[in-house]
Amino acid sequence: MNGWTARDIPDQSGRTAVVTGANSGIGYVAARELARHGARVLLACRSEERGRAAHDRITAEVPGADTRFVPLDLASLESVRRFAAAFGNSHDRLDLLINNAGVMALPRRRTADGFEMQFGVNHLGHFALTGLLMPELLGTPRARVVTVSSGMHVLSNVDLSDLNSERRYRRWIAYGRSKTANLLFTHELARRLAAAGSDVVAAAAHPGYARTNLQTAGVRMEGRKAAERVVEFGNRIAAQSPEAGALPTLYAATAPGVTPDTFIGPRFAGWRGPPVLSWRTKWTLDDASAARLWKASEELTGVTYEALEP
């Protein structure tokens, strides 16, 4: 694993990948590098304008790239269901699902279905999407599901009695809880896949501190220009590039030998550097919490994983 770079990605010819949030940041880089190595990549993005622009950029950077924009708004379960139905009607296999899209430290907002936005987009939208695409994943030998979490999951365990932060909303705590939820989801998904005898691998990754638009989105929404400039300055001097930030995701998605429930992140203090096995809090490996979050997620989304029921 030492010194692993995008040049080490194995040939992806014949593989189909879905990357959420592929219009910018590490999602864009992951989609581009998968396409560069031969995969057919569906760019699952909320904004048609930005999604099509990403497609055009990739085809300019990687002549012959097989990419296609497909609309997906993870803040709407109706959109998630529409995406999955369209995919199932046109594909019988899915080699790689990268649950990358996310929001960070937003002022209080709600999804179309009434969920707190960070929990709804970062966890519930991807929980529903993965469940609805499970038939295609299970039908594909050695498929992988990679969910992008964050080192910031250390901020908080999930509060199973208040998943939507109804009692009190603190933006960074809510973000940390959504990223913990990503890891608990991966943990329980890996367990259920193993119990079903499936060779689908569920893994997780985080980018460390990577320079993307996530950091500025919240302050920009509030019109806090000075804070936005401070964040942008910090990104310029301290953050690694989106290309470097995407490496843990690409490793988890393509490297040989990745095992279920692996968590990959940057080498140096989980901050920057090449991908390695990442430290994670004990609460992200708690079987009981993972099972309770799974049950609550099924109830909230109405999506059940019938093929993986215990």
Side-chain angles (χ1 to χ4, degrees):
M1 192 183 296
N2 289 343
W4 193 93
T5 73
R7 292 189 297 274
D8 297 308
I9 296 172
D11 180 32
Q12 300 294 299
S13 298
R15 303 187 81 209
T16 297
V18 170
V19 182
T20 69
N23 57 281
S24 66
I26 64 173
Y28 174 81
V29 174
R32 182 190 68 199
E33 295 308 312
L34 290 169
R36 191 190 305 278
H37 288 81
R40 181 172 191 263
V41 185
L42 277 65
L43 314 176
C45 311
R46 179 176 58 85
S47 166
E48 180 172 357
E49 178 183 1
R50 292 193 291 270
R52 294 196 184 280
H55 168 268
D56 292 344
R57 286 172 57 203
I58 290 174
T59 54
E61 293 181 56
V62 185
D66 186 0
T67 62
R68 180 164 66 94
F69 160 71
V70 185
L72 171 65
D73 182 358
L74 288 159
S76 164
L77 291 176
E78 179 183 359
S79 176
V80 173
R81 289 183 181 277
R82 191 162 53 242
F83 175 94
F87 184 89
N89 288 335
S90 56
H91 298 79
D92 59 4
R93 61 179 291 139
L94 176 56
D95 298 87
L96 177 58
L97 171 60
I98 298 183
N99 292 323
N100 163 79
V103 293
M104 184 172 75
L106 302 180
R108 184 189 284 275
R109 295 287 189 278
R110 293 195 180 274
T111 69
D113 304 283
F115 307 128
E116 186 276 308
M117 183 67 76
Q118 298 190 82
F119 181 66
V121 170
N122 297 351
H123 170 62
L124 290 177
H126 284 125
F127 177 90
L129 178 67
T130 305
L132 293 168
L133 293 176
M134 192 53 59
E136 289 75 31
L137 288 162
L138 291 173
T140 306
R142 297 176 300 282
R144 292 191 191 182
V145 178
V146 176
T147 300
V148 179
S149 181
S150 169
M152 299 295 280
H153 79 275
V154 301
L155 291 173
S156 182
N157 195 355
V158 295
D159 182 347
L160 290 163
S161 68
D162 188 24
L163 290 172
N164 280 299
S165 301
E166 302 287 356
R167 290 196 295 267
R168 182 182 181 189
Y169 182 73
R170 292 170 290 174
R171 67 183 69 193
W172 281 106
I173 295 300
Y175 179 69
R177 287 173 176 172
S178 75
K179 296 289 101 180
T180 287
N182 290 151
L183 288 170
L184 287 171
F185 166 59
T186 298
H187 183 67
E188 179 67 4
L189 179 58
R191 186 193 69 77
R192 287 177 177 243
L193 287 165
S198 172
D199 64 357
V200 175
V201 171
H206 76 92
Y209 182 12
R211 188 169 58 252
T212 72
N213 60 14
L214 272 183
Q215 291 91 350
T216 56
V219 291
R220 185 180 298 119
M221 288 174 68
E222 294 177 309
R224 296 162 58 197
K225 297 294 184 182
E228 185 177 347
R229 287 193 293 271
V230 169
V231 173
E232 288 174 342
F233 178 73
N235 278 353
R236 285 196 299 272
I237 64 172
Q240 61 179 352
S241 68
E243 282 73 16
L247 290 179
T249 296
L250 287 164
Y251 185 94
T254 67
V258 172
T259 56
D261 207 21
T262 292
F263 186 35
I264 304 293
R267 175 190 296 168
F268 302 114
W271 187 273
R272 60 193 304 135
V276 295
L277 289 174
S278 181
W279 176 86
R280 61 198 287 183
T281 58
K282 290 183 179 179
W283 63 61
T284 67
L285 295 167
D286 185 81
D287 293 344
S289 293
R292 289 178 63 195
L293 176 64
W294 186 283
K295 185 175 186 298
S297 301
E298 288 186 326
E299 293 171 352
L300 290 168
T301 64
V303 174
T304 57
Y305 289 56
E306 294 180 3
L308 302 183
E309 287 302 309

